Coordinates of all heavy atoms in Angstrom, one line a residue:
E1 N 43.9 157.3 115.6 CA 45.3 157.0 115.3 C 45.7 157.8 114.1 O 46.9 158.2 114.0 CB 45.4 155.5 115.0 CG 45.2 154.6 116.2 CD 46.3 154.7 117.3 OE1 47.4 155.3 117.0 OE2 46.2 154.3 118.4
E2 N 44.8 158.1 113.1 CA 45.2 158.9 112.0 C 45.4 160.3 112.4 O 46.4 161.0 112.0 CB 44.0 158.9 111.0 CG 44.2 159.9 109.8 CD 45.4 159.6 108.9 OE1 45.9 158.5 108.9 OE2 45.8 160.6 108.2
E3 N 44.6 160.8 113.3 CA 44.8 162.2 113.9 C 46.1 162.3 114.7 O 46.8 163.3 114.6 CB 43.6 162.6 114.8 CG 42.3 162.8 114.0 CD 41.2 163.1 114.9 OE1 41.4 163.5 116.1 OE2 40.0 163.1 114.5
R4 N 46.5 161.2 115.4 CA 47.7 161.2 116.1 C 48.9 161.2 115.1 O 49.9 162.0 115.3 CB 47.8 159.9 116.9 CG 49.1 159.7 117.7 CD 49.1 158.3 118.3 NE 50.1 158.1 119.3 CZ 50.3 156.9 120.0 NH1 49.5 155.9 119.7 NH2 51.2 156.8 120.9
L5 N 48.8 160.5 114.0 CA 49.9 160.5 113.0 C 50.0 161.9 112.4 O 51.1 162.4 112.1 CB 49.6 159.4 112.0 CG 50.7 159.1 111.0 CD1 52.1 158.9 111.7 CD2 50.4 157.9 110.1
V6 N 48.9 162.5 112.1 CA 49.0 163.9 111.5 C 49.7 164.8 112.5 O 50.5 165.7 112.0 CB 47.5 164.4 111.2 CG1 47.5 165.9 110.9 CG2 46.9 163.6 110.0
V7 N 49.4 164.7 113.8 CA 50.1 165.6 114.8 C 51.5 165.3 114.8 O 52.4 166.1 115.0 CB 49.4 165.4 116.1 CG1 50.2 166.1 117.2 CG2 48.0 166.1 116.1
Q8 N 51.9 164.0 114.7 CA 53.3 163.6 114.7 C 54.0 164.2 113.5 O 55.2 164.7 113.6 CB 53.5 162.1 114.7 CG 53.1 161.4 116.0 CD 53.1 159.9 115.9 OE1 52.6 159.3 115.0 NE2 53.7 159.3 116.9
E9 N 53.4 164.2 112.4 CA 53.9 164.8 111.2 C 54.1 166.3 111.4 O 55.1 166.9 111.0 CB 53.1 164.6 110.0 CG 53.1 163.1 109.5 CD 52.0 162.8 108.5 OE1 51.0 163.4 108.4 OE2 52.3 161.8 107.7
A10 N 53.1 167.0 111.9 CA 53.2 168.4 112.2 C 54.3 168.8 113.2 O 55.0 169.8 113.0 CB 51.8 168.9 112.7
L11 N 54.5 167.9 114.2 CA 55.5 168.1 115.1 C 56.9 168.0 114.5 O 57.8 168.8 114.7 CB 55.5 167.1 116.3 CG 56.6 167.1 117.3 CD1 56.7 168.5 117.9 CD2 56.4 166.0 118.3
A12 N 57.1 167.0 113.6 CA 58.3 166.9 112.9 C 58.6 168.1 112.0 O 59.7 168.6 111.9 CB 58.3 165.6 112.0
E13 N 57.6 168.6 111.4 CA 57.7 169.8 110.5 C 58.1 171.1 111.4 O 59.0 171.9 111.0 CB 56.4 170.1 109.7 CG 56.2 169.1 108.7 CD 54.8 169.2 108.1 OE1 53.9 169.9 108.7 OE2 54.6 168.6 107.0
A14 N 57.5 171.2 112.5 CA 57.8 172.3 113.4 C 59.2 172.2 113.9 O 60.0 173.2 114.0 CB 56.8 172.3 114.6
R15 N 59.7 171.0 114.3 CA 61.0 170.8 114.8 C 62.1 171.1 113.6 O 63.1 171.7 113.9 CB 61.2 169.4 115.3 CG 60.4 169.2 116.6 CD 60.6 167.7 117.1 NE 62.0 167.5 117.4 CZ 62.5 166.2 117.5 NH1 61.7 165.2 117.4 NH2 63.7 166.0 117.8
L16 N 61.7 170.7 112.4 CA 62.6 171.0 111.3 C 62.7 172.5 111.1 O 63.8 173.0 110.8 CB 62.1 170.3 110.0 CG 62.9 170.4 108.8 CD1 64.3 169.8 109.0 CD2 62.2 169.8 107.6
E17 N 61.6 173.1 111.2 CA 61.6 174.6 111.0 C 62.4 175.3 112.1 O 63.0 176.3 111.9 CB 60.1 175.1 111.0 CG 59.9 176.5 110.6 CD 58.5 177.0 110.6 OE1 57.6 176.1 110.6 OE2 58.2 178.2 110.6
A18 N 62.4 174.7 113.3 CA 63.2 175.2 114.4 C 64.7 174.9 114.3 O 65.4 175.3 115.2 CB 62.6 174.7 115.7
G19 N 65.1 174.1 113.3 CA 66.5 173.8 113.1 C 67.0 172.5 113.7 O 68.2 172.4 114.0
E20 N 66.1 171.6 114.1 CA 66.4 170.4 114.7 C 66.7 169.2 113.8 O 66.5 168.0 114.1 CB 65.4 169.9 115.7 CG 65.1 170.9 116.9 CD 64.1 170.4 117.8 OE1 64.0 169.2 118.1 OE2 63.4 171.2 118.4
Q21 N 67.2 169.5 112.6 CA 67.3 168.5 111.5 C 68.3 167.4 111.9 O 68.1 166.2 111.5 CB 67.8 169.1 110.2 CG 69.1 169.9 110.2 CD 68.9 171.3 110.6 OE1 67.8 171.8 110.8 NE2 70.0 172.0 110.8
D22 N 69.4 167.6 112.6 CA 70.3 166.6 112.9 C 69.7 165.5 113.8 O 69.8 164.3 113.5 CB 71.5 167.2 113.7 CG 72.3 168.1 112.8 OD1 72.4 167.8 111.6 OD2 72.9 169.1 113.3
V23 N 69.0 165.9 114.8 CA 68.3 164.9 115.7 C 67.1 164.2 115.0 O 66.9 163.0 115.0 CB 67.9 165.5 117.0 CG1 67.1 164.6 117.9 CG2 69.0 166.1 117.8
L24 N 66.4 165.1 114.3 CA 65.2 164.6 113.6 C 65.5 163.6 112.5 O 64.7 162.6 112.3 CB 64.5 165.8 113.0 CG 63.0 165.7 112.6 CD1 62.2 165.3 113.8 CD2 62.5 167.0 112.0
A25 N 66.5 163.7 111.8 CA 66.9 162.8 110.7 C 67.0 161.4 111.2 O 66.6 160.4 110.5 CB 68.2 163.2 110.1
G26 N 67.5 161.2 112.4 CA 67.6 159.9 113.0 C 66.3 159.4 113.6 O 65.9 158.3 113.5
E27 N 65.6 160.3 114.3 CA 64.4 159.9 115.1 C 63.3 159.5 114.1 O 62.4 158.7 114.5 CB 63.9 161.1 115.9 CG 64.8 161.3 117.1 CD 64.3 162.4 118.0 OE1 63.3 163.0 117.7 OE2 64.9 162.7 119.1
L28 N 63.2 160.0 112.9 CA 62.1 159.8 112.1 C 62.2 158.4 111.4 O 61.2 157.9 110.8 CB 62.0 160.8 111.0 CG 61.4 162.2 111.4 CD1 61.4 163.1 110.2 CD2 60.0 162.0 111.9
A29 N 63.3 157.7 111.5 CA 63.5 156.5 110.8 C 62.5 155.4 111.2 O 61.8 154.7 110.4 CB 64.9 155.9 111.0
E30 N 62.2 155.3 112.5 CA 61.3 154.3 113.0 C 59.8 154.6 112.6 O 59.1 153.7 112.2 CB 61.3 154.2 114.6 CG 60.4 153.2 115.2 CD 60.5 153.2 116.7 OE1 61.4 153.8 117.3 OE2 59.6 152.5 117.3
L31 N 59.4 155.9 112.7 CA 58.1 156.2 112.3 C 57.9 156.0 110.8 O 56.8 155.5 110.4 CB 57.8 157.7 112.6 CG 56.4 158.2 112.6 CD1 55.5 157.4 113.5 CD2 56.3 159.7 112.9
V32 N 58.9 156.3 110.0 CA 58.8 156.1 108.5 C 58.7 154.6 108.2 O 57.9 154.2 107.3 CB 59.9 156.8 107.8 CG1 60.0 156.3 106.3 CG2 59.8 158.3 107.8
A33 N 59.4 153.8 109.0 CA 59.4 152.3 108.8 C 58.0 151.8 109.0 O 57.6 150.8 108.4 CB 60.4 151.7 109.6
R34 N 57.3 152.4 110.0 CA 55.9 151.9 110.3 C 54.9 152.4 109.3 O 53.9 151.8 109.1 CB 55.5 152.4 111.7 CG 56.3 151.7 112.8 CD 55.6 151.7 114.2 NE 55.1 153.1 114.6 CZ 55.8 153.9 115.3 NH1 57.0 153.6 115.8 NH2 55.3 155.1 115.6

């Protein structure tokens, strides 16, 4: 589960780097809450 979370974080960083900040800003709220 820790490895899964690390990959989720890496995916968020890759998407941010690709310019997906508008969608990402909303999608990350649930994961951050957990």
Side-chain angles (χ1 to χ4, degrees):
E1 291 292 347
E2 172 64 20
E3 292 178 14
R4 179 188 196 181
L5 188 51
V6 167
V7 169
Q8 289 174 315
E9 290 170 333
L11 174 59
E13 290 169 344
R15 293 177 62 195
L16 181 63
E17 191 178 341
E20 296 183 33
Q21 59 273 354
D22 293 327
V23 175
L24 198 59
E27 288 183 357
L28 284 177
E30 182 182 348
L31 191 59
V32 167
R34 294 203 305 270

